[in-house]
Amino acid sequence: MQTLLFPGQGLRPAQWVLSLFFLLLVSPAWSQGIIKGTIVDDEDGSPLQSATVVVDNSRLGANTNQRGAFEITVPSFPITLIISYTGYAQTRMEVSAPSQSLLIRMKAEDLVLDGVDIIAKGMGERLQQDPRSVEAMSITGIKATPSESFYAGLGNLKGVDINGSIGFKVINTRGFNSAAPVRSLQIIDGVDNQSPGLNFSLGNFLGASELDVEQVEIIQGASSAYFGPNAFNGVISMRTKNPFVHQGFSVMLKGGERNLGEVAVRYADAFGGSAGNERFAFKFNAYYLTVNDWEANNLDEVDVADSLKVGVNNPGGYNAVNRYGDENLNASSRTFTNNSGQLTYPGLGTFHRTGYLEQDLVDYGTWNAKLGAALHYKIQDDLELIGASNFGAGTTILQGDNRYSLKNIRFFQHRVELKHASRGFLRAYLTHENAGDSYDAVFTAYRLQDNRWADGNWTRDYRDNYRNRFVPRVQNIDGFPEPSVVFDPVTGMVTVNYDYELAQQILAQNQDSLLLWHQQNRVFADRNYLQPGTAEFDSLFNSIISSTIFEGRGTRLVDRSALAHVHGEYVFQPGWANIVVGANARQFRPVSEATIFQDTLIITDRTLPDGTVVKDSVRSKIINTEFGVYAGIERKLFDERLKLNGTIRMDKNQNFNFLFSPALSAVFLLRKNSQSDVLRVSFSSAIRNPTLSDQYLFYNVGQAILLGNLNGFEDLVTVDSYLNFVKSLDPNTLEYFDVAPIKPEQVRTMELGYRGVLLDDKVYVDATYYFSFYRDFIGYNLGVDLGFAPGVALPNFIQAYRVAANATDRVTTQGFSIGLDYFLSKDYRLSGNYSWNVLNTVSDDPIIPAFNTPEHKFNLGFHGTDLTVFGAEHIGFSVNYKWVDGFLFEGSPQFTGFVPSYGLMDAQLNKEFRFDKGNLILKLGSSNLLDNQVFQIYGGPTIGRLTYLSATMELD
C-alpha cells in the first residue's frame, strides 16, 4: 500500500522550501499566452529597432530587435500594451488573446515627450515612476556614447563620479568616493560581480560585453532595503540581452590611439518547439581588449604636513607622489635642519632615497579577456530556467592604500536561475577569483632597495660621506660663518656659537653648488642601486614579485577567494496591491596564504634535529556567512495616480548584530493622463557590513601592518606622542588609547524629486534633492605598539599598526542634481545636467573617511540621431562636455592631495548602413578630444586623449 506524503514529509526544511517555491512558480494559472508583433514606421514601413513595449501596470516588457520584432509572455488576458519610441506618438493597444503576429504602425511626430522612452536615457515608464534617483542608459545610448566605452560613458550621467584607467573604471555616487568603491554595489542580471576577496567590483573587468548589454541603471543613494548590504551610496545594475528576444550574430572591432585594440563577438539563437515558440535559446559572448594604459606620473611632492615638506628643489631630494621608495622612512635623515645639526652637517638638511618611478615597476600594457555563455529553457511560456557561466581575466592597475599591479588576474562566475515573468525568481551563483601574478608596486620598491642596502645603512652612508667629503666645501664658501668657541673660566663650561641664520642665507645663495654636491653624494650612497632595465634589476624584480612575503620577502599577492550566493523572491498579487517577499544568503571563503588576510599565522621558528630551521605555522580557515530577509508592499490609490511603497529588510552577518533597513516612498502623477509628470518623496536606508579586509586583514606594507579588527585592541600609543617620546625619551609623554571592535556603517536618506515635461512638452526635466545622515563610518586608527624591558628606558619592541575602526561622530551630507533634455526636433537634442554635493559636518575625527567629491560638476551635450546629411542617410553624432570642480582627494598618506578642476570633451560621429538581414555601424569618436592632461584621483593616472574608430555589424 502506497503511503501518501503531506507537503514536506520526508524532505529537509530547505528542500521543502525549494519545492514549494518551484510549485508556486510553475502554477499553470499564470501561464496564459504569448504576444508577438512587429513595430514599423507608418509611412515607409521600416522597422523600428529598440522601441519599448511594456504591459501596462506590470513589470513585463521588451525592446524590439533589428527587425522591429518583439515577444512578451503574459500571465493573463486582456492586457494593454504601451509602445513608445523617440520621435513617435505613443501607442496604446488592447490585446484580448494570444497573438500570432501583431503589426503595429507608429506615426512620427515633431515632439512627443510624455511617456516616451527618452533617447540615450532609457527612461521608460517604469523608471520615470521609480521613487529613487535613477539614471539609465539604453541600447540606443550605449551605441551613441562618445566615450571610448559604454562604461566610461556612464560618467556623463547626472550625479555620477568616475575615475580610473582605461582598463579599470570606478563609479561612485553621492560622496565618500574612492578608487576602491566599497560603498557601491554592481550587479549584472541580479548577480553581484564584486571581487570576493576585495569586496568591490573591478569596474567592468568581470562584466558584460558592450554587444550584450541591454540597459544600465544607476540607482543613487542608500538602497539596502532594495538590494541588500553594501548598496550604501549607489547601485550599478546592468541587464543583458535575452537570447529569446535578441537573436543573431554581432561583431564589433575597435582600434585607436595608445595601441587600442578591441574585439567583441555575440551569437544568440533559439531552437526547439515551433517557429516563434522555441523552448531553448542560447547566447555566447567573447571579448578582448588590449591598450597601453594611462600612466601615473605625478612627481609633485606628497601632500604632508608643512613641517615635513622640503619642496621639489630640495638638494637632498623629496617624496614624489608616483615615485616609491623615496618616502624617507629613517628618522635619522630628518634631523639635520636645526642649529646643532647644521653645525656638524651644514647644508645636509633632509634627504631622501632615490626610489623608483611607477613606470619602472608596473606593466601599463593592459589587457582584458571575457567569455560568457548562457542556456535558457522555457519550462512554460512564462517560466524560464537559465544556466550561465562567465570568465574574465586580464592585467590592470588598482589604487588602494598602495598602487597594485593586478597581473593575470582571473575570475569565474556561474549562475543557475529559475525565473517567472511576473512572480519572482530563485537564483544561485558562485564566484571564484585568482589574483594570478598580482603584486604591490609600492612595497616592491622598498624590497628592491632593502635587498641591496638596508635603509639604515643607506642613510648612514649618505650622512657620513657628506660629512667627510662635502662639509669642508660648504665651510669654504665665501662668507660662510665659522663657529666660535667661548670658554667660561668660572663655570668651566665651553659654549659653541654658530650663526645659523647667516649660514642659511649663504646656502640659499649657493643652491647650484649644494645641488651638485648632493648629486655627487647620492652617486656614492646609490652604489648598490639597481638601474631599471638592467639584467640585474630584472632578475631581482622578477624574484620579488613572484614570491610572497613568506617565500623570500616578496610582494606577490595570493587571493583565491570565493563567494557563494543564493537568492529567492516571490511576488503576491492579491489585486489590491503587489507584495514582494524574499531572502538571500551568501558565504565568503577567502584564501590568501597570509599575504592579505589572517588565514595563515606564522608563530615561531623551529630547528630540526639536522639543524634545519623551519617555520611552524597554524592555518586558520576563514569562512564568513551572512543572510537577509525582506518584504515590501506597493499600493496604488486615487485612480492609480498615487503609488505608495514600503519595504523592510533585516540582515545578519555572523560577526555582527541584526540590522534593519527600512524604506518608504510615495510617487504622485501630477497630471492624470501623464505617465512622466511625477513628484516623488522617499525615505531610504542602508548598511555596509565591514569588508573582509575590515574584519580579517593582516597586511605588511613596510611602514606598518594593516589589521582587521573583530576583537578590538588595547594600549596602542598615538603616533604624535611616540614622535615626541623619540625626542625626549620621557615615557610620561606617551599617550595610550584603545580601539573598539569594528561594526557596520549605517546611513539614512530623505529624498525629494520631480520628473516631467515642460515648455509645451519640449523639455524633459529630472531633479533631485537629498539629505543623508551617516553614523559608524568605517575608517582606521593609526597607533604604535611598544614593548619595554624592566628598567630600560628605550623600547625593545616597536611596531606601527593601522587598525580598522568606526568613527564616533555622526555626519550629514546633502546634494542637489538636475538634468534637462531639450528636444529641438525628433532628430536633435540638447542635454545638460548639474550636481551639487557637500559634506555638512566639520569634524576632527580622523576616522571619518574623506568626502573626495567635487562640490560642483556639470555636463553639456548635443546629439543628433538618424540624420540625412548631403544625401547620406542614417547619420548620428554626439558631443559631451564635462566639467568637474577641484576637490581634495584623501586616500592613503602617499595619495592625498588636491585634484584641480578639469574639463573633458567627448565626441563621436556614426553612420549606419541598413540591410535586409542586419546593419553595420561605423563610429569615429574621441574621449577627451582636446587632450587635456588631467587626473581624476590623486596618485592616479594622467588622462589624455583617446581617439578610436569602431565597426559594429549586427546580423539577424
Side-chain angles (χ1 to χ4, degrees):
M1 180 176 179
Q2 185 178 9
T3 302
L4 297 178
L5 295 179
F6 291 102
Q9 183 176 344
L11 297 176
R12 296 177 181 177
Q15 294 173 318
W16 187 88
V17 171
L18 292 177
S19 300
L20 178 60
F21 194 90
F22 182 82
L23 289 173
L24 289 171
L25 288 179
V26 301
S27 173
W30 300 317
S31 177
Q32 299 298 324
I34 298 176
I35 300 173
K36 300 179 183 179
T38 303
I39 300 175
V40 299
D41 182 277
D42 184 57
E43 286 190 14
D44 58 17
S46 61
L48 299 182
Q49 180 184 352
S50 299
T52 301
V53 186
V54 296
V55 178
D56 195 17
N57 295 321
S58 80
R59 297 183 177 184
L60 304 177
N63 288 333
T64 56
N65 61 16
Q66 296 95 329
R67 301 188 304 273
F70 70 92
E71 178 181 316
I72 305 175
T73 302
V74 297
S76 61
F77 290 94
I79 55 95
T80 299
L81 294 180
I82 301 174
I83 305 100
S84 54
Y85 191 73
T86 302
Y88 288 77
Q90 184 186 90
T91 301
R92 299 176 72 91
M93 174 177 288
E94 299 290 335
V95 181
S96 57
S99 63
Q100 290 298 319
S101 181
L102 299 172
L103 180 62
I104 303 172
R105 295 183 175 274
M106 299 189 72
K107 294 183 178 181
E109 289 190 2
D110 289 336
L111 288 172
V112 180
L113 287 182
D114 197 7
V116 168
D117 181 12
I118 301 300
I119 277 185
K121 295 179 70 66
M123 297 295 288
E125 180 179 330
R126 176 181 64 85
L127 293 184
Q128 290 180 43
Q129 298 183 27
D130 196 297
R132 302 161 298 188
S133 179
V134 182
E135 288 292 300
M137 182 182 286
S138 67
I139 292 177
T140 305
I142 290 170
K143 292 179 178 179
T145 180
S147 302
E148 75 272 13
S149 68
F150 83 93
Y151 202 86
L154 297 174
N156 298 332
L157 298 179
K158 173 168 55 68
V160 176
D161 296 294
I162 191 166
N163 65 69
S165 59
I166 300 174
F168 176 27
K169 298 288 185 185
V170 174
I171 290 176
N172 294 280
T173 62
R174 293 199 176 174
F176 304 105
N177 299 334
S178 75
V182 294
R183 291 178 175 83
S184 295
L185 175 68
Q186 181 168 294
I187 56 177
I188 301 177
D189 293 329
V191 175
D192 188 344
N193 80 327
Q194 68 168 282
S195 158
L198 298 174
N199 291 158
F200 60 82
S201 170
L202 297 180
N204 201 35
F205 216 65
L206 174 65
S209 164
E210 182 170 316
L211 292 179
D212 196 39
V213 177
E214 185 174 56
Q215 181 151 323
V216 184
E217 299 172 11
I218 299 182
I219 300 96
Q220 302 179 28
S223 302
S224 283
Y226 306 102
F227 294 98
N230 304 333
F232 200 71
N233 273 15
V235 177
I236 303 109
S237 176
M238 300 186 198
R239 184 176 73 245
T240 64
K241 297 174 181 176
N242 188 306
F244 281 111
V245 178
H246 297 272
Q247 299 177 24
F249 176 77
S250 304
V251 60
M252 180 187 71
L253 300 175
K254 184 184 295 183
E257 293 182 289
R258 305 191 66 81
N259 293 322
L260 171 66
E262 188 175 351
V263 58
V265 175
R266 181 184 187 271
Y267 180 67
D269 200 2
F271 60 95
S274 59
N277 192 29
E278 295 87 356
R279 287 297 176 185
F280 291 92
F282 70 90
K283 65 178 177 179
F284 171 78
N285 282 281
Y287 171 89
Y288 185 77
L289 163 74
T290 179
V291 66
N292 295 334
D293 217 330
W294 306 116
E295 299 177 1
N297 52 13
N298 186 350
L299 295 183
D300 293 341
E301 184 177 19
V302 168
D303 190 5
V304 294
D306 290 341
S307 60
L308 298 178
K309 288 184 178 180
V310 296
V312 297
N313 296 317
N314 178 54
Y318 68 98
N319 181 11
V321 175
N322 292 128
R323 184 176 61 210
Y324 313 132
D326 61 354
E327 283 77 5
N328 197 337
L329 304 181
N330 197 302
S332 62
S333 63
R334 302 191 294 270
T335 58
F336 306 112
T337 57
N338 56 20
N339 196 321
S340 60
Q342 285 289 357
L343 176 64
T344 310
Y345 303 94
L348 179 57
T350 299
F351 54 94
H352 291 250
R353 294 200 73 162
T354 302
Y356 289 95
L357 299 176
E358 181 175 292
Q359 64 189 33
D360 299 324
L361 303 170
V362 301
D363 181 5
Y364 287 117
T366 287
W367 66 273
N368 181 210
K370 289 181 279 199
L371 293 173
L375 178 63
H376 294 232
Y377 169 56
K378 285 188 177 180
I379 301 173
Q380 295 178 171
D381 290 339
D382 52 4
L383 184 67
E384 218 172 300
L385 179 64
I386 304 170
S389 289
N390 293 284
F391 168 76
T395 292
T396 188
I397 307 297
L398 167 68
Q399 181 168 326
D401 298 300
N402 282 341
R403 294 272 290 176
Y404 305 94
S405 175
L406 301 183
K407 188 175 182 181
N408 302 324
I409 191 169
R410 301 184 295 277
F411 293 91
F412 299 86
Q413 194 167 70
H414 312 288
R415 168 174 64 108
V416 176
E417 182 171 357
L418 184 66
K419 182 173 66 173
H420 191 275
S422 61
R423 291 292 181 170
F425 61 85
L426 181 62
R427 177 189 305 133
Y429 57 88
L430 180 66
T431 305
H432 286 278
E433 71 176 318
N434 189 317
D437 304 311
S438 301
Y439 59 93
D440 184 330
V442 177
F443 200 19
T444 297
Y446 301 154
R447 292 301 201 203
L448 281 166
Q449 296 187 131
D450 288 345
N451 188 279
R452 301 289 295 177
W453 207 236
D455 189 64
N457 294 333
W458 184 91
T459 298
R460 179 199 62 205
D461 284 358
Y462 195 100
R463 179 192 63 215
D464 293 349
N465 189 67
Y466 182 89
R467 179 187 59 197
N468 296 332
R469 291 185 58 192
F470 300 106
V471 165
R473 301 186 191 184
V474 174
Q475 293 172 338
N476 287 333
I477 297 176
D478 289 342
F480 195 83
E482 294 184 4
S484 59
V485 180
V486 178
F487 175 72
D488 188 338
V490 177
T491 62
M493 298 291 293
V494 176
T495 303
V496 179
N497 295 323
Y498 181 74
D499 194 336
Y500 175 71
E501 297 297 332
L502 177 59
Q504 291 299 98
Q505 294 177 16
I506 298 298
L507 289 173
Q509 297 168 5
N510 292 269
Q511 281 295 297
D512 291 342
S513 296
L514 195 60
L515 179 61
L516 175 62
W517 294 335
H518 270 275
Q519 291 173 344
Q520 294 172 345
N521 193 53
R522 185 173 297 277
V523 170
F524 171 79
D526 280 349
R527 64 191 183 279
N528 293 302
Y529 178 85
L530 293 180
Q531 290 293 340
T534 63
E536 196 174 7
F537 173 89
D538 292 342
S539 177
L540 179 58
F541 175 76
N542 291 328
S543 174
I544 290 172
I545 67 173
S546 61
S547 60
T548 68
I549 191 172
F550 301 115
E551 298 173 343
R553 296 173 59 80
T555 59
R556 184 172 70 90
L557 303 174
V558 176
D559 189 359
R560 296 191 299 274
S561 301
L563 165 64
H565 187 103
V566 61
H567 184 186
E569 181 177 287
Y570 185 74
V571 181
F572 295 93
Q573 296 175 329
W576 53 273
N578 278 353
I579 301 173
V580 179
V581 295
N584 70 274
R586 62 171 43 185
Q587 186 177 86
F588 294 95
R589 290 178 174 264
V591 175
S592 76
E593 297 182 6
T595 63
I596 303 174
F597 302 115
Q598 302 172 26
D599 51 346
T600 303
L601 304 178
I602 304 299
I603 54 175
T604 186
D605 290 339
R606 180 165 57 92
T607 304
L608 299 178
D610 61 0
T612 303
V613 177
V614 298
K615 286 187 178 298
D616 276 343
S617 65
V618 55
R619 290 189 176 271
S620 174
K621 182 184 294 184
I622 297 175
I623 298 176
N624 188 270
T625 303
E626 60 187 37
F627 69 89
V629 296
Y630 60 93
I633 182 170
E634 181 180 288
R635 177 80 186 274
K636 292 184 177 181
L637 301 171
F638 304 117
D639 198 20
E640 299 190 345
R641 292 182 63 185
L642 176 64
K643 181 170 65 176
L644 303 177
N645 185 288
T647 303
I648 182 70
R649 181 182 175 94
M650 186 273 294
D651 284 285
K652 176 69 173 72
N653 182 284
Q654 68 181 46
N655 294 323
F656 308 106
N657 294 328
F658 288 93
L659 291 172
F660 293 88
S661 304
L664 297 170
S665 67
V667 176
F668 184 70
L669 301 182
L670 297 177
R671 290 187 290 176
K672 184 174 182 180
N673 297 320
S674 170
Q675 298 300 318
S676 62
D677 207 10
V678 176
L679 182 67
R680 55 191 176 86
V681 60
S682 66
F683 164 80
S684 59
S685 57
I687 64 166
R688 182 173 85 84
N689 284 322
T691 64
L692 294 179
S693 295
D694 296 327
Q695 298 181 57
Y696 305 105
L697 185 67
F698 188 89
Y699 185 50
N700 191 334
V701 294
Q703 303 178 62
I705 294 177
L706 314 185
L707 294 176
N709 178 20
L710 280 177
N711 301 311
F713 290 85
E714 296 180 349
D715 298 330
L716 289 178
V717 174
T718 64
V719 174
D720 289 342
S721 70
Y722 170 70
L723 294 177
N724 291 331
F725 167 74
V726 170
K727 298 176 182 178
S728 66
L729 296 182
D730 181 3
N732 294 320
T733 64
L734 294 175
E735 299 177 6
Y736 291 85
F737 69 98
D738 299 334
V739 183
I742 198 76
K743 56 185 177 181
E745 294 181 341
Q746 297 185 62
V747 61
R748 302 288 187 263
T749 298
M750 299 294 298
E751 188 169 316
L752 178 67
Y754 168 78
R755 298 186 186 105
V757 291
L758 305 171
L759 301 180
D760 296 326
D761 288 353
K762 291 183 178 180
V763 176
Y764 177 84
V765 60
D766 185 354
T768 300
Y769 170 78
Y770 74 89
F771 197 97
S772 295
F773 306 80
Y774 294 84
R775 67 176 182 178
D776 295 328
F777 270 122
I778 296 176
Y780 53 83
N781 274 132
L782 297 175
V784 182
D785 188 15
L786 301 178
F788 291 90
V792 179
L794 294 175
N796 58 7
F797 174 79
I798 304 173
Q799 178 61 61
Y801 292 109
R802 195 198 73 179
V803 182
N806 294 98
T808 55
D809 286 354
R810 296 188 179 187
V811 300
T812 63
T813 66
Q814 64 176 327
F816 170 78
S817 63
I818 183 170
L820 297 171
D821 286 88
Y822 178 57
F823 285 76
L824 301 171
S825 70
K826 70 182 183 67
D827 299 324
Y828 293 96
R829 175 174 61 97
L830 291 173
S831 66
N833 60 66
Y834 165 78
S835 300
W836 170 73
N837 295 276
V838 292
L839 175 67
N840 298 322
T841 306
V842 177
S843 171
D844 58 0
D845 190 332
I847 295 179
I848 292 178
F851 195 53
N852 290 349
T853 302
E855 182 173 356
H856 308 281
K857 58 179 177 284
F858 67 81
N859 287 273
L860 295 174
F862 183 39
H863 318 272
T865 306
D866 205 14
L867 309 174
T868 298
V869 181
F870 300 117
E873 297 181 316
H874 310 310
I875 301 293
F877 71 88
S878 182
V879 180
N880 188 88
Y881 178 77
K882 182 184 187 71
W883 182 84
V884 175
D885 195 11
F887 62 99
L888 178 64
F889 184 91
E890 298 177 89
S892 65
Q894 181 77 12
F895 303 127
T896 291
F898 190 79
V899 177
S901 301
Y902 63 87
L904 300 174
M905 178 176 287
D906 300 343
Q908 65 88 12
L909 176 68
N910 67 78
K911 163 72 170 123
E912 182 177 359
F913 302 87
R914 297 180 179 177
F915 312 107
D916 291 340
K917 293 294 185 179
N919 57 25
L920 168 67
I921 300 175
L922 298 180
K923 180 177 175 182
L924 175 64
S926 186
S927 177
N928 191 9
L929 177 65
L930 303 180
D931 198 25
N932 294 335
Q933 300 294 302
V934 306
F935 53 89
Q936 298 168 325
I937 56 173
Y938 203 77
T942 301
I943 297 171
R945 183 188 62 231
L946 183 63
T947 299
Y948 62 89
L949 176 66
S950 71
T952 303
M953 174 73 79
E954 297 176 321
L955 301 175
D956 289 350

